């Protein structure tokens, strides 16, 4: 069984510390990696979900490149003021939390336990989700969904309700919105959020099956599919993208449309090398200096749409297109077609194999290659204005 194989051979060593877990059972689990976080979110979650039998898994971590002894002090002091641990095994400790809940603290900030810098938040999320998967497998967690978010996210009141079947759905994505209020980064953050929607919507129009957001704050993951995908990759950024890239090949990824969004606070974070914080900081700097932020030209999505159509209709001829030849050579198109020929894949089987090969990662690389070679980026605000005009029919 994939779950047992993952937990026995690939999961992080923290799950071995659960062998002495008490007979504490919970309905839901929420995993939050914490590095240099204010403790304010603890009270917010406690007030919002007081009776949900929620196990909150906090992976308080620190990269080995940060030698400060104070990076997580405020949060740890707030946790210490809660009830004393009811259970502890090495760097894991469980405290009563709320009416029927628990707070499981994973201390990966101590000098001998710090996270390797290059593994960053990916390893932190992996540790928390591995723990949740193990507890679910052993019957201590009822819900088959592992919820993943961040300390700066405000969750809707119905957050734990109305999810799809975890047997047939690999992941569920909540709607999201960034809260920037009247902060100096307001315009930059709004532009970045619109750019994210622009990217996903254009993937959808091109016919890509990978047209959904990949944001760690908005994820719910099926425990069985999480194990089948062998967990979060140990990456300092992009861990959500790469996990969803694997999950989408196992079962559909559901978008929870029509619900209240997860609201993500605005902040110019430098804790990850790329993502919302660094991207927003870059746009803010450009706006301040009078430079116009740029984004993918619509023509790259036209190239993608045409390639997807031709690759599925007559895959043997797509390399004859001079605009695609160089990109497909770099992406390994010949190896894919050789595989299809050797396996005698046709019809639905070939289409499935194609989308597994031309996945979210290769789709993004194709777009970058089209941009680099043929369609340079365009001013972002101009693109967004054109998109709005088209959607309004003007």
């Amino acid at each position: 069984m994939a779950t047992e194989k993952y937990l026995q051979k690939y999961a992080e060593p923290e799950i071995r510390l659960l062998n002495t877990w008490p007979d504490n059972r919970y309905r839901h689990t929420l995993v939050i990696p914490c590095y240099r976080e204010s403790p304010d979110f603890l009270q917010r979650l406690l007030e919002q979900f007081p009776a949900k039998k929620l196990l909150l898994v906090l992976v308080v971590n620190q990269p080995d490149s940060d030698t400060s002894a104070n990076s997580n002090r405020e949060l740890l002091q707030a946790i210490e003021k809660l009830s004393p641990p009811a259970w502890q095994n090495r760097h894991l400790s469980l405290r009563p939390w709320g009416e029927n809940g628990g707070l499981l603290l994973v201390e990966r900030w101590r000098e001998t336990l710090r996270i390797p810098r290059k593994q960053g938040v990916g390893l932190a999320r992996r540790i928390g989700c591995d723990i949740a998967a193990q507890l679910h497998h052993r019957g201590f967690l009822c819900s088959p969904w592992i919820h993943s978010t961040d300390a700066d996210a405000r969750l809707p009141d119905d957050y734990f309700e109305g999810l799809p079947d975890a047997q047939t759905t690999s992941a569920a994505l909540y709607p999201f919105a960034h809260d920037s209020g009247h902060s100096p980064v307001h315009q930059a953050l709004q532009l970045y959020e619109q750019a994210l929607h622009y990217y996903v919507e254009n993937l959808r129009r091109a016919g890509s099956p990978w047209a959904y957001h990949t944001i760690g704050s908005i994820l719910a993951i099926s425990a069985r599919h999480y194990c089948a995908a062998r967990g979060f990759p140990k990456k300092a950024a992009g861990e959500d993208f790469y996990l969803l890239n694997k999950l989408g090949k196992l079962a559909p990824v559901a978008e929870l449309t029509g619900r209240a969004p997860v609201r993500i606070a605005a902040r110019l974070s430098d804790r990850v090398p790329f993502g919302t914080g660094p991207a927003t900081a870059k746009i803010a700097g450009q706006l301040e200096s009078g430079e116009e932020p740029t984004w993918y030209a619509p023509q790259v999505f036209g190239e993608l749409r045409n390639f997807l159509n031709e690759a599925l209709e007559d895959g043997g001829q797509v390399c004859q297109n001079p605009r695609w030849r160089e990109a497909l050579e770099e992406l390994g198109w010949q190896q894919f077609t050789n595989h299809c020929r050797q396996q005698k894949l046709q019809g639905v089987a070939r289409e499935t194999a194609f989308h597994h090969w031309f996945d979210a990662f290769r789709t993004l690389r194709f777009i970058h290659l089209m941009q680099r070679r043929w369609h340079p980026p365009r001013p972002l605000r101009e693109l967004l204005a054109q998109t709005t005009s088209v959607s309004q029919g003007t």
Side-chain angles (χ1 to χ4, degrees):
M1 185 178 178
T3 296
E4 292 178 349
K5 182 178 180 180
Y6 174 74
L7 294 173
Q8 290 173 6
K9 296 185 64 175
Y10 302 107
E12 294 305 305
E14 275 78 7
I15 72 164
R16 315 285 179 253
L17 304 181
L18 302 173
N19 291 337
T20 62
W21 185 263
D23 191 25
N24 289 41
R25 299 171 188 272
Y26 303 93
R27 181 177 177 84
H28 303 287
T29 183
L30 179 63
V31 176
I32 302 180
C34 300
Y35 170 48
R36 296 186 343 211
E37 295 289 359
S38 164
D40 296 346
F41 73 96
L42 287 176
Q43 187 61 34
R44 183 173 72 243
L45 288 172
L46 185 60
E47 293 173 355
Q48 190 173 12
F49 305 113
K52 286 291 185 183
K53 296 198 73 174
L54 170 65
L55 177 65
L56 178 63
V57 182
L58 297 186
V59 185
V60 180
N61 65 94
Q62 187 168 330
D64 54 14
S65 56
D66 180 356
T67 59
S68 170
N70 300 317
S71 293
N72 295 300
R73 174 172 293 180
E74 187 180 2
L75 175 59
L76 291 165
Q77 288 176 340
I79 294 172
E80 289 295 328
K81 292 178 181 178
L82 301 174
S83 303
W87 170 85
Q88 188 163 3
N89 192 355
R90 294 178 59 185
H91 58 287
L92 271 61
S93 58
L94 176 67
R95 289 170 168 78
W97 193 64
E99 296 177 20
N100 299 297
L103 188 155
L104 177 59
L105 173 63
V106 184
E107 299 189 63
R108 288 298 302 262
W109 61 274
R110 299 180 186 278
E111 187 172 355
T112 57
L113 290 169
R114 288 178 184 164
I115 301 278
R117 177 181 60 84
K118 292 185 178 181
Q119 298 181 7
V121 67
L123 177 55
R125 289 197 200 278
R126 181 185 180 94
I127 291 169
C129 291
D130 284 2
I131 288 171
Q134 173 76 338
L135 291 175
H136 175 69
H137 182 62
R138 293 180 55 193
F140 294 110
L141 283 174
C142 177
S143 173
W145 288 101
I146 301 170
H147 289 82
S148 165
T149 193
D150 291 296
D152 62 347
R154 292 180 176 269
L155 309 179
D157 291 339
D158 64 349
Y159 179 71
F160 294 104
E161 312 304 327
L163 270 71
D165 183 0
Q167 295 297 311
T168 57
T169 307
S170 64
L173 306 177
Y174 291 86
F176 70 95
H178 288 93
D179 284 333
S180 54
H182 300 288
S183 71
V185 301
H186 174 78
Q187 185 181 9
L189 189 59
Q190 293 303 310
L191 280 174
Y192 181 66
E193 181 176 312
Q194 292 175 66
L196 293 179
H197 289 301
Y198 168 90
Y199 178 76
V200 170
E201 180 57 31
N202 276 282
L203 285 185
R204 186 174 292 116
R205 291 175 178 173
S208 171
W210 304 98
Y212 43 74
H213 293 283
T214 56
I215 300 173
S217 298
I218 65 171
L219 271 173
I221 312 160
S222 160
R224 69 183 292 264
H225 290 102
Y226 173 83
C227 293
R230 295 191 180 177
F232 270 105
K234 302 177 186 181
K235 292 181 175 291
E239 77 291 345
D240 37 21
F241 175 88
Y242 288 103
L243 177 61
L244 282 167
N245 196 36
K246 293 188 289 183
L247 291 170
K249 299 174 186 180
L250 299 175
V253 173
E255 293 185 275
L256 303 176
T257 57
R259 299 173 57 127
V262 171
R263 307 202 70 89
I264 306 170
R267 56 184 182 181
L268 301 181
S269 173
D270 61 356
R271 284 168 287 192
V272 294
F274 58 87
T276 300
T280 304
K282 178 181 178 181
I283 293 175
Q286 290 172 324
L287 294 175
E288 185 176 356
S289 65
E291 181 183 352
E292 188 66 28
T294 59
W295 202 242
Y296 305 109
Q299 288 85 352
V300 300
F301 299 101
E303 299 278 8
L304 175 64
R305 180 182 62 251
N306 293 336
F307 168 68
L308 291 174
N309 290 337
E310 293 194 28
L312 293 174
E313 292 174 5
D314 186 9
Q317 300 301 314
V318 295
C319 270
Q320 303 306 313
N321 186 315
R323 292 192 307 279
W324 303 340
R325 186 181 299 118
E326 180 182 341
L328 293 179
E329 287 176 358
E330 190 167 326
L331 294 175
W333 172 256
Q334 192 61 54
Q335 292 91 322
F336 168 71
T337 56
N338 290 342
H339 168 76
C340 291
R341 190 179 305 112
Q342 292 166 3
Q343 299 298 318
K344 299 180 180 179
L345 298 179
Q346 295 180 345
V348 174
R350 186 188 182 282
E351 181 175 347
T352 300
F354 169 75
H355 286 304
H356 282 194
W357 174 78
F358 198 72
D359 55 11
F361 177 64
R362 281 193 172 89
T363 297
L364 181 60
R365 285 186 64 194
F366 180 89
I367 287 171
H368 284 170
L369 290 167
M370 290 297 101
Q371 175 176 268
R372 184 181 72 190
R373 184 72 173 85
W374 301 103
H375 307 292
R378 298 263 302 279
L380 174 56
R381 286 185 285 193
E382 175 186 309
L383 294 172
L384 296 175
Q386 291 174 353
T387 302
T388 301
S389 296
V390 169
S391 65
Q392 293 176 346
T394 59

